[in-house]
């Protein structure tokens, strides 16, 4: 059973930065894709970024491009989301999730493709 634990959320000022971490037990980079999603109050959960086996599989949402960076440390079974130039609209609960890889060089952007989810970490951007 894959388990995910997120950390690193909190309060940031507009223009500030945060680093989210996701420790994944039983993580296998050969078969698992990792995604970061977020859900603001009253809104659906949406993909922010995801990664598969290779760098060419990395995806960023339009709102994340140029500001967020997904990375991984397979030795630590940890996925990171570095967020910079934060704006109020980034306020949400952020979730990491694991999907079983279906396509090489591609990571899924739909919530229904992901089998395992973390509990979420709150990110609040406010002055």
């Amino acid at each position: 059973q894959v388990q995910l634990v997120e950390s690193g959320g909190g309060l940031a000022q507009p223009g500030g930065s945060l680093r989210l971490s996701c420790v994944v037990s039983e993580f296998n980079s050969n078969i698992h894709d990792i995604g970061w999603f977020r859900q603001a109050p009253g809104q659906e959960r949406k993909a922010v970024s995801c990664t598969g086996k290779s760098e060419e599989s990395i995806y960023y949402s339009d709102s994340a491009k140029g500001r967020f960076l997904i990375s991984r440390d397979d030795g630590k079974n940890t996925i990171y989301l570095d967020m910079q130039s934060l704006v109020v609209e980034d306020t949400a609960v952020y979730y990491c999730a694991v999907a079983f890889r279906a396509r090489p060089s591609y990571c899924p952007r739909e919530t229904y493709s992901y089998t395992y989810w973390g509990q979420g970490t709150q990110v609040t951007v406010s002055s």
Side-chain angles (χ1 to χ4, degrees):
Q1 178 79 6
V2 176
Q3 294 183 329
L4 301 89
V5 179
E6 302 102 332
S7 61
L11 177 65
Q13 291 189 340
S17 302
L18 283 174
R19 169 177 254 203
L20 305 184
S21 300
C22 176
V23 179
V24 186
S25 69
E26 310 295 332
F27 177 66
N28 186 335
S29 62
N30 291 314
I31 64 172
H32 291 149
D33 294 331
I34 293 285
W36 282 102
F37 291 77
R38 70 185 184 187
Q39 187 169 20
Q43 298 186 20
E44 63 181 10
R45 193 173 299 185
K46 294 182 179 179
V48 175
S49 180
C50 64
T51 181
K53 177 73 171 178
S54 63
E55 285 194 7
E56 64 182 323
S57 68
I58 292 176
Y59 161 81
Y60 294 102
S61 66
D62 287 344
S63 62
K65 282 178 185 175
R67 298 190 301 126
F68 293 3
L69 178 69
I70 190 170
S71 61
R72 56 200 283 175
D73 185 334
D74 289 350
K76 295 182 179 180
N77 282 7
T78 303
I79 312 300
Y80 302 100
L81 186 68
D82 288 290
M83 306 187 294
Q84 299 180 347
S85 302
L86 288 165
V87 297
V88 172
E89 291 73 22
D90 293 321
T91 296
V93 178
Y94 284 70
Y95 300 88
C96 62
V98 167
F100 289 100
R101 184 164 301 130
R103 295 164 56 183
S105 303
Y106 176 86
C107 57
R109 297 88 196 263
E110 310 80 12
T111 57
Y112 61 75
S113 295
Y114 288 80
T115 303
Y116 304 103
W117 291 83
Q119 82 287 353
T121 185
Q122 176 71 46
V123 170
T124 302
V125 183
S126 174
S127 56

